[in-house]
Amino acid sequence: MTLAVASAPHKLNNLKENIKNIPKLLGFLLILGDVFSIIIAQFLAQKCAVLLKTQMTSEVIVNKIHYDPHTNLFLILGLIMTVVLYDKGLYTSRIPWWSQVQYITRIVFFSLIVQGFVGFALKLNEPRSLIIFSWFFALTFMVAFRITFFKLA
């Protein structure tokens, strides 16, 4: 029994040795890519939500009361998401690709739920399509930038 306990730390050390650190420049580019993804996602989501609203109802949005996007909430959640991804080690360590995609998908889905809940709790007048488009585009661009940066590295 003591032999099994003694070999457990050895396996853990081997696992830590297999995870390699990524270069600092690549980590910096990944952070910039994620921040850029969040900003682009918000811009495109606003355009798509307006386009969807005008195509579905055939009316031009003139009154700001009907369309009041709270970009600060999305950007704050995006910043928190970036900090959580940094804490998880996605910018500093080489983690298997599908594990990265799985974790990013989970945290984006959780952020979508949080934004929807906060919007409902605070009675923010924000289209649901904007929230869904924002996080869909954020996930898509984050994965696309990661593919690009890892191919270049």
Side-chain angles (χ1 to χ4, degrees), residues 31-139:
I31 292 172
L32 284 180
D34 287 350
V35 170
F36 190 63
S37 297
I38 292 166
I39 293 168
I40 289 176
Q42 181 64 35
F43 176 74
L44 283 177
Q46 286 179 350
K47 297 294 182 189
C48 287
V50 168
L51 182 67
L52 185 67
K53 175 79 172 166
T54 56
Q55 293 298 320
M56 296 294 282
T57 60
S58 299
E59 64 185 49
V60 178
I61 299 173
V62 178
N63 195 351
K64 284 295 240 187
I65 295 172
H66 296 295
Y67 182 71
D68 187 19
H70 295 275
T71 57
N72 291 339
L73 179 60
F74 176 75
L75 295 177
I76 289 169
L77 287 173
L79 178 65
I80 292 170
M81 183 177 66
T82 305
V83 170
V84 169
L85 291 175
Y86 181 81
D87 184 55
K88 181 71 174 172
L90 269 71
Y91 303 126
T92 56
S93 303
R94 284 215 186 259
I95 297 173
W97 172 249
W98 288 113
S99 296
Q100 287 184 34
V101 172
Q102 179 185 15
Y103 193 75
I104 291 170
T105 303
R106 265 195 249 150
I107 197 154
V108 164
F109 182 72
F110 180 73
S111 299
L112 171 89
I113 298 297
V114 167
Q115 186 176 2
F117 175 74
V118 170
F120 177 76
L122 297 178
K123 296 181 181 172
L124 301 176
N125 189 14
E126 190 171 34
R128 289 178 194 91
S129 61
L130 175 67
I131 296 170
I132 293 170
F133 282 142
S134 296
W135 291 109
F136 172 76
F137 286 138
L139 175 65

